[in-house]
Amino acid sequence: MDLNEEVKKRWDDFAEDMGRAYTTEGDLNRIYLLNPAILQLVGQLKGKHVLDAVCGEGYLSRKMFADGAKVKAFDFSSRMVEVAKQKSKGFNIPILQGDFQDLSMIKDNEFDIVISNMVIHDLPYHNLAIGEAYRVLKPGGIFVFSILHPCFDTPESGWVKDSNGNKLYWKVSKYFTEGIVRQETSNGSILMFHRTLSNYFKTLRQCGFVIDDLIEPEPTDEAIEAHNDYMNFKNMCHFIVIKAVK
Ligand SMILES: C[S@@+](CC[C@H](N)C(=O)[O-])C[C@H]1O[C@@H](n2cnc3c(N)ncnc32)[C@H](O)[C@@H]1O
């Protein structure tokens, strides 16, 4: 199967579960780590034209709409688009079906902000998607995206545990081995693409972006109090959120 089709099938299969599991703020990592970082980097949303690239079940589109943004969204998976439309009834958010690597359905210079939450490491051709984000932004527009932190989430990385299952430390390996990573989980097979941090930096620059800011989200005391496991996220960093300017 073509790589794009394989990624699409995996998300088609997961769409209903994701729709059921996510709250109005997403899942735990989104609530405690990703949303605060993304919204801090995005700044004022009122009246801004925002593209949610890619929306999944659509919680972030709805959240930004509620904050006064004019949001357009899309996802590659037709089942995910159906779930997002269902959950977004009553919100004035056009939800399209499309591939981030080819946004020919969207015209140049349309948006003030492009957001991409936990998507780019799913894409076989991240350079095409980043180029498309650049094209659809107005001059001076911002691109804010989150990904698995490429310095920690490497092929075959993971917790090393003691005999009682307590997490001791996070093992990193094969950092410079870029390409497809397949992981078997209880939710089925996951397909991702590992790239080094310098690859992301160079790709953004080659597409025309200037990196303006970044956040490595650290769990707050409140997060640790609510979910003790977040204590372990003081020892490694799962995500990175980057703001780049056109
Ligand atoms: C981890 S989910 C993130 C969704 C959403 N941004 C969120 O934070 O909940 C990844 C999404 O990427 C979509 N996707 C995967 N490949 C894509 C592509 N080439 N173009 C557009 N969407 C894609 C999947 O259908 C899935 O909804």
Side-chain angles (χ1 to χ4, degrees), residues 54-113:
V54 161
C55 62
E57 59 73 59
Y59 88 91
L60 191 56
S61 295
R62 293 186 291 277
K63 209 169 147 50
M64 294 187 293
F65 178 85
D67 283 344
K70 296 175 178 121
V71 183
K72 193 179 262 185
F74 69 90
D75 199 288
F76 194 27
S77 150
S78 43
R79 281 168 71 181
M80 201 66 89
V81 168
E82 281 316 307
V83 170
K85 282 185 176 170
Q86 192 67 30
K87 289 188 83 168
S88 306
K89 277 192 180 146
F91 291 78
N92 186 10
I93 303 173
I95 302 174
L96 316 173
Q97 198 210 337
D99 181 349
F100 197 178
Q101 299 153 126
D102 174 11
L103 294 181
S104 34
M105 78 277 196
I106 296 176
K107 62 181 197 303
D108 297 358
N109 306 324
E110 189 177 332
F111 297 96
D112 303 297
I113 301 169

Short mmCIF file of all heavy atoms in Angstrom, two decimals, residues 54-113:
data_model
loop_
_atom_site.label_atom_id
_atom_site.label_comp_id
_atom_site.label_asym_id
_atom_site.label_seq_id
_atom_site.Cartn_x
_atom_site.Cartn_y
_atom_site.Cartn_z
N VAL A 54 -4.00 19.96 10.86
CA VAL A 54 -5.11 19.13 10.45
C VAL A 54 -6.03 18.96 11.66
O VAL A 54 -5.54 18.79 12.76
CB VAL A 54 -4.51 17.80 10.00
CG1 VAL A 54 -5.45 16.67 9.96
CG2 VAL A 54 -3.72 17.96 8.71
N CYS A 55 -7.35 18.89 11.49
CA CYS A 55 -8.24 19.04 12.64
C CYS A 55 -8.52 17.78 13.44
O CYS A 55 -8.95 17.87 14.58
CB CYS A 55 -9.56 19.65 12.19
SG CYS A 55 -10.47 18.64 11.01
N GLY A 56 -8.32 16.58 12.88
CA GLY A 56 -8.74 15.38 13.62
C GLY A 56 -10.22 15.48 13.95
O GLY A 56 -11.03 15.85 13.07
N GLU A 57 -10.60 15.20 15.20
CA GLU A 57 -12.02 15.30 15.57
C GLU A 57 -12.46 16.74 15.81
O GLU A 57 -13.63 17.01 16.02
CB GLU A 57 -12.37 14.38 16.75
CG GLU A 57 -11.59 14.63 18.01
CD GLU A 57 -12.01 15.88 18.74
OE1 GLU A 57 -13.21 15.97 19.10
OE2 GLU A 57 -11.16 16.77 18.95
N GLY A 58 -11.52 17.68 15.77
CA GLY A 58 -11.87 19.10 15.66
C GLY A 58 -11.91 19.93 16.94
O GLY A 58 -12.33 21.08 16.91
N TYR A 59 -11.42 19.37 18.07
CA TYR A 59 -11.56 20.13 19.32
C TYR A 59 -10.87 21.50 19.26
O TYR A 59 -11.38 22.50 19.75
CB TYR A 59 -11.04 19.30 20.52
CG TYR A 59 -9.57 19.48 20.78
CD1 TYR A 59 -9.11 20.48 21.64
CD2 TYR A 59 -8.62 18.72 20.10
CE1 TYR A 59 -7.75 20.68 21.83
CE2 TYR A 59 -7.27 18.93 20.29
CZ TYR A 59 -6.84 19.90 21.16
OH TYR A 59 -5.51 20.12 21.33
N LEU A 60 -9.67 21.55 18.63
CA LEU A 60 -8.90 22.81 18.62
C LEU A 60 -9.56 23.85 17.70
O LEU A 60 -9.56 25.04 18.01
CB LEU A 60 -7.45 22.55 18.21
CG LEU A 60 -6.46 23.70 18.40
CD1 LEU A 60 -6.44 24.22 19.84
CD2 LEU A 60 -5.05 23.27 17.99
N SER A 61 -10.15 23.38 16.61
CA SER A 61 -10.91 24.30 15.75
C SER A 61 -12.04 24.95 16.54
O SER A 61 -12.23 26.17 16.47
CB SER A 61 -11.55 23.54 14.58
OG SER A 61 -10.59 23.00 13.72
N ARG A 62 -12.76 24.12 17.29
CA ARG A 62 -13.90 24.66 18.05
C ARG A 62 -13.43 25.61 19.15
O ARG A 62 -14.05 26.64 19.42
CB ARG A 62 -14.74 23.51 18.64
CG ARG A 62 -15.44 22.68 17.58
CD ARG A 62 -16.37 21.63 18.16
NE ARG A 62 -15.69 20.56 18.86
CZ ARG A 62 -15.15 19.48 18.27
NH1 ARG A 62 -15.23 19.33 16.97
NH2 ARG A 62 -14.54 18.54 18.99
N LYS A 63 -12.31 25.26 19.77
CA LYS A 63 -11.76 26.10 20.84
C LYS A 63 -11.34 27.48 20.27
O LYS A 63 -11.63 28.52 20.86
CB LYS A 63 -10.54 25.36 21.39
CG LYS A 63 -10.21 25.61 22.82
CD LYS A 63 -9.15 24.62 23.29
CE LYS A 63 -8.23 25.21 24.32
NZ LYS A 63 -8.91 25.87 25.42
N MET A 64 -10.69 27.47 19.12
CA MET A 64 -10.22 28.73 18.52
C MET A 64 -11.42 29.55 18.02
O MET A 64 -11.42 30.78 18.13
CB MET A 64 -9.22 28.44 17.40
CG MET A 64 -7.94 27.80 17.91
SD MET A 64 -6.65 27.63 16.65
CE MET A 64 -7.36 26.44 15.53
N PHE A 65 -12.42 28.86 17.50
CA PHE A 65 -13.65 29.54 17.05
C PHE A 65 -14.31 30.24 18.25
O PHE A 65 -14.72 31.40 18.16
CB PHE A 65 -14.61 28.52 16.42
CG PHE A 65 -15.90 29.10 15.97
CD1 PHE A 65 -16.01 29.69 14.71
CD2 PHE A 65 -17.02 29.06 16.79
CE1 PHE A 65 -17.21 30.24 14.29
CE2 PHE A 65 -18.22 29.60 16.38
CZ PHE A 65 -18.32 30.19 15.13
N ALA A 66 -14.35 29.52 19.37
CA ALA A 66 -14.97 30.09 20.59
C ALA A 66 -14.17 31.30 21.07
O ALA A 66 -14.72 32.20 21.73
CB ALA A 66 -15.05 29.03 21.68
N ASP A 67 -12.87 31.35 20.75
CA ASP A 67 -12.03 32.50 21.13
C ASP A 67 -12.10 33.63 20.10
O ASP A 67 -11.31 34.57 20.15
CB ASP A 67 -10.57 32.06 21.30
CG ASP A 67 -10.35 31.33 22.61
OD1 ASP A 67 -11.22 31.42 23.50
OD2 ASP A 67 -9.31 30.64 22.74
N GLY A 68 -12.98 33.50 19.11
CA GLY A 68 -13.23 34.60 18.18
C GLY A 68 -12.53 34.50 16.84
O GLY A 68 -12.60 35.43 16.02
N ALA A 69 -11.84 33.38 16.57
CA ALA A 69 -11.15 33.24 15.29
C ALA A 69 -12.13 32.79 14.20
O ALA A 69 -13.16 32.18 14.49
CB ALA A 69 -10.02 32.22 15.41
N LYS A 70 -11.78 33.11 12.94
CA LYS A 70 -12.54 32.60 11.78
C LYS A 70 -11.77 31.38 11.30
O LYS A 70 -10.71 31.52 10.67
CB LYS A 70 -12.62 33.66 10.69
CG LYS A 70 -13.40 34.88 11.16
CD LYS A 70 -13.39 35.98 10.13
CE LYS A 70 -14.22 37.15 10.64
NZ LYS A 70 -13.44 38.40 10.74
N VAL A 71 -12.30 30.21 11.61
CA VAL A 71 -11.52 28.98 11.43
C VAL A 71 -11.99 28.19 10.21
O VAL A 71 -13.19 28.03 9.98
CB VAL A 71 -11.65 28.07 12.70
CG1 VAL A 71 -10.79 26.83 12.55
CG2 VAL A 71 -11.27 28.85 13.96
N LYS A 72 -11.01 27.69 9.46
CA LYS A 72 -11.27 26.69 8.42
C LYS A 72 -10.43 25.48 8.82
O LYS A 72 -9.33 25.64 9.39
CB LYS A 72 -10.82 27.23 7.06
CG LYS A 72 -11.31 26.44 5.87
CD LYS A 72 -10.83 27.06 4.56
CE LYS A 72 -11.90 27.93 3.92
NZ LYS A 72 -11.48 28.43 2.58
N ALA A 73 -10.93 24.28 8.54
CA ALA A 73 -10.21 23.08 8.98
C ALA A 73 -10.24 22.03 7.88
O ALA A 73 -11.10 22.07 6.99
CB ALA A 73 -10.85 22.53 10.25
N PHE A 74 -9.31 21.09 7.97
CA PHE A 74 -9.36 19.95 7.04
C PHE A 74 -8.67 18.76 7.67
O PHE A 74 -7.92 18.87 8.64
CB PHE A 74 -8.69 20.29 5.69
CG PHE A 74 -7.21 20.44 5.77
CD1 PHE A 74 -6.37 19.35 5.58
CD2 PHE A 74 -6.64 21.66 6.09
CE1 PHE A 74 -4.99 19.48 5.68
CE2 PHE A 74 -5.26 21.80 6.19
CZ PHE A 74 -4.43 20.71 5.98
N ASP A 75 -8.96 17.59 7.13
CA ASP A 75 -8.28 16.35 7.52
C ASP A 75 -8.29 15.45 6.29
O ASP A 75 -9.17 15.54 5.43
CB ASP A 75 -9.00 15.68 8.70
CG ASP A 75 -8.10 14.68 9.42
OD1 ASP A 75 -7.82 13.60 8.85
OD2 ASP A 75 -7.68 14.99 10.55
N PHE A 76 -7.31 14.57 6.22
CA PHE A 76 -7.15 13.65 5.08
C PHE A 76 -8.15 12.50 5.17
O PHE A 76 -8.65 12.00 4.16
CB PHE A 76 -5.72 13.12 5.17
CG PHE A 76 -5.21 12.43 3.94
CD1 PHE A 76 -5.69 12.71 2.68
CD2 PHE A 76 -4.20 11.49 4.06
CE1 PHE A 76 -5.17 12.08 1.56
CE2 PHE A 76 -3.68 10.84 2.95
CZ PHE A 76 -4.17 11.14 1.71
N SER A 77 -8.44 12.07 6.41
CA SER A 77 -9.30 10.90 6.63
C SER A 77 -10.77 11.29 6.49
O SER A 77 -11.26 12.15 7.22
CB SER A 77 -9.02 10.34 8.03
OG SER A 77 -10.17 9.73 8.56
N SER A 78 -11.48 10.65 5.56
CA SER A 78 -12.89 11.02 5.35
C SER A 78 -13.72 10.68 6.58
O SER A 78 -14.66 11.40 6.92
CB SER A 78 -13.45 10.36 4.09
OG SER A 78 -13.04 9.03 4.02
N ARG A 79 -13.35 9.61 7.31
CA ARG A 79 -14.12 9.27 8.52
C ARG A 79 -13.86 10.28 9.62
O ARG A 79 -14.75 10.62 10.40
CB ARG A 79 -13.81 7.85 8.97
CG ARG A 79 -14.60 6.87 8.10
CD ARG A 79 -14.18 5.46 8.24
NE ARG A 79 -14.55 4.87 9.50
CZ ARG A 79 -14.26 3.62 9.83
NH1 ARG A 79 -13.61 2.85 8.98
NH2 ARG A 79 -14.62 3.12 10.99
N MET A 80 -12.61 10.79 9.69
CA MET A 80 -12.30 11.82 10.69
C MET A 80 -13.09 13.10 10.36
O MET A 80 -13.61 13.77 11.26
CB MET A 80 -10.79 12.09 10.69
CG MET A 80 -10.26 12.71 11.94
SD MET A 80 -10.36 11.65 13.40
CE MET A 80 -8.81 10.78 13.34
N VAL A 81 -13.19 13.44 9.07
CA VAL A 81 -13.95 14.63 8.67
C VAL A 81 -15.41 14.48 9.09
O VAL A 81 -16.03 15.42 9.61
CB VAL A 81 -13.84 14.86 7.13
CG1 VAL A 81 -14.84 15.89 6.64
CG2 VAL A 81 -12.42 15.27 6.76
N GLU A 82 -15.98 13.27 8.93
CA GLU A 82 -17.37 13.04 9.34
C GLU A 82 -17.53 13.25 10.84
O GLU A 82 -18.47 13.90 11.29
CB GLU A 82 -17.81 11.61 8.97
CG GLU A 82 -18.18 11.44 7.51
CD GLU A 82 -19.05 12.59 7.01
OE1 GLU A 82 -20.08 12.86 7.64
OE2 GLU A 82 -18.67 13.24 6.03
N VAL A 83 -16.59 12.69 11.62
CA VAL A 83 -16.65 12.84 13.09
C VAL A 83 -16.52 14.32 13.47
O VAL A 83 -17.28 14.83 14.30
CB VAL A 83 -15.53 12.00 13.76
CG1 VAL A 83 -15.40 12.32 15.24
CG2 VAL A 83 -15.79 10.51 13.58
N ALA A 84 -15.58 15.03 12.83
CA ALA A 84 -15.37 16.45 13.14
C ALA A 84 -16.62 17.26 12.81
O ALA A 84 -17.03 18.14 13.58
CB ALA A 84 -14.15 16.98 12.37
N LYS A 85 -17.25 16.96 11.68
CA LYS A 85 -18.46 17.70 11.29
C LYS A 85 -19.58 17.46 12.30
O LYS A 85 -20.29 18.37 12.70
CB LYS A 85 -18.93 17.27 9.89
CG LYS A 85 -18.10 17.89 8.79
CD LYS A 85 -18.69 17.53 7.43
CE LYS A 85 -17.94 18.22 6.32
NZ LYS A 85 -18.30 17.75 5.00
N GLN A 86 -19.71 16.19 12.71
CA GLN A 86 -20.73 15.81 13.68
C GLN A 86 -20.54 16.58 14.99
O GLN A 86 -21.47 17.15 15.54
CB GLN A 86 -20.60 14.29 13.93
CG GLN A 86 -21.74 13.66 14.68
CD GLN A 86 -23.02 13.68 13.85
OE1 GLN A 86 -22.97 13.63 12.62
NE2 GLN A 86 -24.16 13.79 14.51
N LYS A 87 -19.27 16.61 15.48
CA LYS A 87 -18.99 17.26 16.76
C LYS A 87 -19.01 18.79 16.65
O LYS A 87 -19.05 19.47 17.67
CB LYS A 87 -17.62 16.80 17.31
CG LYS A 87 -17.63 15.34 17.79
CD LYS A 87 -16.34 14.96 18.50
CE LYS A 87 -16.29 15.36 19.96
NZ LYS A 87 -15.16 14.74 20.70
N SER A 88 -18.96 19.32 15.42
CA SER A 88 -18.87 20.78 15.25
C SER A 88 -20.20 21.39 14.80
O SER A 88 -20.23 22.54 14.35
CB SER A 88 -17.77 21.13 14.24
OG SER A 88 -16.55 20.55 14.61
N LYS A 89 -21.29 20.62 14.93
CA LYS A 89 -22.61 21.16 14.57
C LYS A 89 -22.86 22.40 15.43
O LYS A 89 -22.61 22.38 16.64
CB LYS A 89 -23.69 20.12 14.82
CG LYS A 89 -23.81 19.15 13.68
CD LYS A 89 -25.05 18.30 13.77
CE LYS A 89 -25.09 17.37 12.56
NZ LYS A 89 -25.67 16.08 12.87
N GLY A 90 -23.34 23.49 14.80
CA GLY A 90 -23.61 24.71 15.55
C GLY A 90 -22.41 25.65 15.56
O GLY A 90 -22.52 26.79 16.02
N PHE A 91 -21.25 25.17 15.09
CA PHE A 91 -20.07 26.05 14.95
C PHE A 91 -19.93 26.39 13.46
O PHE A 91 -20.09 25.51 12.62
CB PHE A 91 -18.79 25.33 15.40
CG PHE A 91 -18.71 25.05 16.86
CD1 PHE A 91 -19.41 23.98 17.43
CD2 PHE A 91 -17.93 25.84 17.69
CE1 PHE A 91 -19.33 23.71 18.77
CE2 PHE A 91 -17.84 25.57 19.05
CZ PHE A 91 -18.55 24.50 19.60
N ASN A 92 -19.62 27.63 13.17
CA ASN A 92 -19.48 28.01 11.77
C ASN A 92 -18.04 27.75 11.31
O ASN A 92 -17.23 28.65 11.16
CB ASN A 92 -19.86 29.49 11.61
CG ASN A 92 -19.87 29.90 10.16
OD1 ASN A 92 -19.77 29.06 9.26
ND2 ASN A 92 -19.94 31.19 9.91
N ILE A 93 -17.72 26.45 11.13
CA ILE A 93 -16.36 26.05 10.75
C ILE A 93 -16.42 25.16 9.51
O ILE A 93 -16.88 24.02 9.59
CB ILE A 93 -15.67 25.26 11.90
CG1 ILE A 93 -15.64 26.08 13.18
CG2 ILE A 93 -14.27 24.82 11.49
CD1 ILE A 93 -15.13 25.30 14.41
N PRO A 94 -16.00 25.67 8.34
CA PRO A 94 -15.95 24.78 7.18
C PRO A 94 -14.89 23.69 7.40
O PRO A 94 -13.76 23.99 7.78
CB PRO A 94 -15.52 25.70 6.02
CG PRO A 94 -15.57 27.09 6.56
CD PRO A 94 -15.54 27.02 8.04
N ILE A 95 -15.28 22.42 7.23
CA ILE A 95 -14.34 21.31 7.42
C ILE A 95 -14.21 20.56 6.10
O ILE A 95 -15.18 19.98 5.61
CB ILE A 95 -14.81 20.37 8.56
CG1 ILE A 95 -14.95 21.17 9.86
CG2 ILE A 95 -13.82 19.21 8.74
CD1 ILE A 95 -15.53 20.40 11.03
N LEU A 96 -13.03 20.61 5.52
CA LEU A 96 -12.79 20.04 4.20
C LEU A 96 -12.04 18.73 4.32
O LEU A 96 -11.46 18.43 5.37
CB LEU A 96 -11.95 21.00 3.36
CG LEU A 96 -12.31 22.49 3.40
CD1 LEU A 96 -11.28 23.31 2.65
CD2 LEU A 96 -13.71 22.71 2.81
N GLN A 97 -12.07 17.96 3.23
CA GLN A 97 -11.19 16.79 3.19
C GLN A 97 -10.00 17.13 2.29
O GLN A 97 -10.19 17.64 1.19
CB GLN A 97 -11.92 15.57 2.65
CG GLN A 97 -11.17 14.30 3.02
CD GLN A 97 -11.33 13.18 2.05
OE1 GLN A 97 -12.30 13.13 1.31
NE2 GLN A 97 -10.38 12.28 2.05
N GLY A 98 -8.79 16.92 2.80
CA GLY A 98 -7.63 17.24 1.98
C GLY A 98 -6.35 16.73 2.57
O GLY A 98 -6.29 16.40 3.76
N ASP A 99 -5.34 16.69 1.72
CA ASP A 99 -4.01 16.21 2.11
C ASP A 99 -3.13 17.43 2.39
O ASP A 99 -2.98 18.30 1.52
CB ASP A 99 -3.45 15.38 0.94
CG ASP A 99 -2.07 14.81 1.23
OD1 ASP A 99 -1.45 15.19 2.25
OD2 ASP A 99 -1.63 13.97 0.42
N PHE A 100 -2.55 17.50 3.58
CA PHE A 100 -1.71 18.63 3.98
C PHE A 100 -0.55 18.81 2.98
O PHE A 100 -0.01 19.90 2.82
CB PHE A 100 -1.16 18.35 5.39
CG PHE A 100 -0.61 19.54 6.13
CD1 PHE A 100 -0.14 19.39 7.43
CD2 PHE A 100 -0.55 20.80 5.56
CE1 PHE A 100 0.38 20.45 8.13
CE2 PHE A 100 -0.03 21.88 6.27
CZ PHE A 100 0.44 21.70 7.55
N GLN A 101 -0.17 17.75 2.31
CA GLN A 101 0.98 17.82 1.40
C GLN A 101 0.59 18.42 0.04
O GLN A 101 1.44 18.65 -0.82
CB GLN A 101 1.59 16.42 1.23
CG GLN A 101 2.10 15.88 2.57
CD GLN A 101 2.10 14.37 2.65
OE1 GLN A 101 3.12 13.78 2.96
NE2 GLN A 101 0.98 13.72 2.38
N ASP A 102 -0.73 18.66 -0.16
CA ASP A 102 -1.21 19.28 -1.40
C ASP A 102 -2.53 20.00 -1.11
O ASP A 102 -3.60 19.41 -1.18
CB ASP A 102 -1.42 18.21 -2.48
CG ASP A 102 -2.04 18.80 -3.73
OD1 ASP A 102 -2.13 20.04 -3.85
OD2 ASP A 102 -2.46 18.01 -4.60
N LEU A 103 -2.41 21.28 -0.78
CA LEU A 103 -3.61 22.04 -0.40
C LEU A 103 -4.12 22.87 -1.57
O LEU A 103 -4.44 24.05 -1.43
CB LEU A 103 -3.29 22.96 0.79
CG LEU A 103 -2.95 22.26 2.11
CD1 LEU A 103 -2.68 23.27 3.21
CD2 LEU A 103 -4.10 21.33 2.52
N SER A 104 -4.18 22.24 -2.76
CA SER A 104 -4.58 23.02 -3.94
C SER A 104 -6.00 23.57 -3.81
O SER A 104 -6.38 24.48 -4.55
CB SER A 104 -4.40 22.20 -5.21
OG SER A 104 -4.67 20.85 -4.98
N MET A 105 -6.80 23.03 -2.84
CA MET A 105 -8.15 23.57 -2.66
C MET A 105 -8.14 24.91 -1.90
O MET A 105 -9.18 25.53 -1.73
CB MET A 105 -9.04 22.54 -1.94
CG MET A 105 -8.86 22.39 -0.45
SD MET A 105 -7.50 21.31 0.02
CE MET A 105 -7.85 20.97 1.75
N ILE A 106 -6.96 25.34 -1.44
CA ILE A 106 -6.86 26.60 -0.68
C ILE A 106 -5.97 27.58 -1.44
O ILE A 106 -4.90 27.21 -1.91
CB ILE A 106 -6.29 26.34 0.74
CG1 ILE A 106 -7.27 25.45 1.52
CG2 ILE A 106 -6.04 27.64 1.49
CD1 ILE A 106 -6.80 25.04 2.88
N LYS A 107 -6.45 28.85 -1.52
CA LYS A 107 -5.69 29.82 -2.32
C LYS A 107 -4.51 30.40 -1.53
O LYS A 107 -4.45 30.26 -0.30
CB LYS A 107 -6.61 30.91 -2.87
CG LYS A 107 -7.33 31.76 -1.85
CD LYS A 107 -8.21 32.77 -2.60
CE LYS A 107 -8.67 33.93 -1.77
NZ LYS A 107 -9.41 33.69 -0.57
N ASP A 108 -3.60 31.05 -2.23
CA ASP A 108 -2.41 31.66 -1.61
C ASP A 108 -2.81 32.77 -0.64
O ASP A 108 -3.85 33.43 -0.83
CB ASP A 108 -1.51 32.32 -2.68
CG ASP A 108 -0.96 31.32 -3.69
OD1 ASP A 108 -1.23 30.11 -3.56
OD2 ASP A 108 -0.27 31.78 -4.62
N ASN A 109 -1.98 33.02 0.36
CA ASN A 109 -2.07 34.21 1.24
C ASN A 109 -3.45 34.38 1.90
O ASN A 109 -3.93 35.51 2.01
CB ASN A 109 -1.77 35.50 0.45
CG ASN A 109 -0.44 35.42 -0.26
OD1 ASN A 109 0.51 34.83 0.25
ND2 ASN A 109 -0.37 35.98 -1.45
N GLU A 110 -4.09 33.28 2.30
CA GLU A 110 -5.46 33.39 2.83
C GLU A 110 -5.50 33.58 4.35
O GLU A 110 -6.43 34.17 4.88
CB GLU A 110 -6.25 32.13 2.43
CG GLU A 110 -7.72 32.23 2.74
CD GLU A 110 -8.53 31.01 2.28
OE1 GLU A 110 -8.13 30.35 1.30
OE2 GLU A 110 -9.56 30.74 2.92
N PHE A 111 -4.50 33.08 5.07
CA PHE A 111 -4.62 32.99 6.54
C PHE A 111 -3.60 33.84 7.29
O PHE A 111 -2.48 34.04 6.84
CB PHE A 111 -4.47 31.52 6.99
CG PHE A 111 -5.56 30.65 6.45
CD1 PHE A 111 -5.37 29.90 5.29
CD2 PHE A 111 -6.81 30.60 7.06
CE1 PHE A 111 -6.39 29.12 4.77
CE2 PHE A 111 -7.83 29.83 6.55
CZ PHE A 111 -7.62 29.08 5.40
N ASP A 112 -4.04 34.28 8.51
CA ASP A 112 -3.11 34.96 9.43
C ASP A 112 -2.30 33.92 10.21
O ASP A 112 -1.18 34.19 10.61
CB ASP A 112 -3.90 35.81 10.45
CG ASP A 112 -4.80 36.82 9.77
OD1 ASP A 112 -4.24 37.70 9.09
OD2 ASP A 112 -6.04 36.72 9.91
N ILE A 113 -2.96 32.78 10.47
CA ILE A 113 -2.35 31.75 11.33
C ILE A 113 -2.63 30.37 10.73
O ILE A 113 -3.76 30.09 10.34
CB ILE A 113 -2.95 31.81 12.76
CG1 ILE A 113 -2.73 33.18 13.40
CG2 ILE A 113 -2.37 30.70 13.65
CD1 ILE A 113 -3.52 33.40 14.71
#
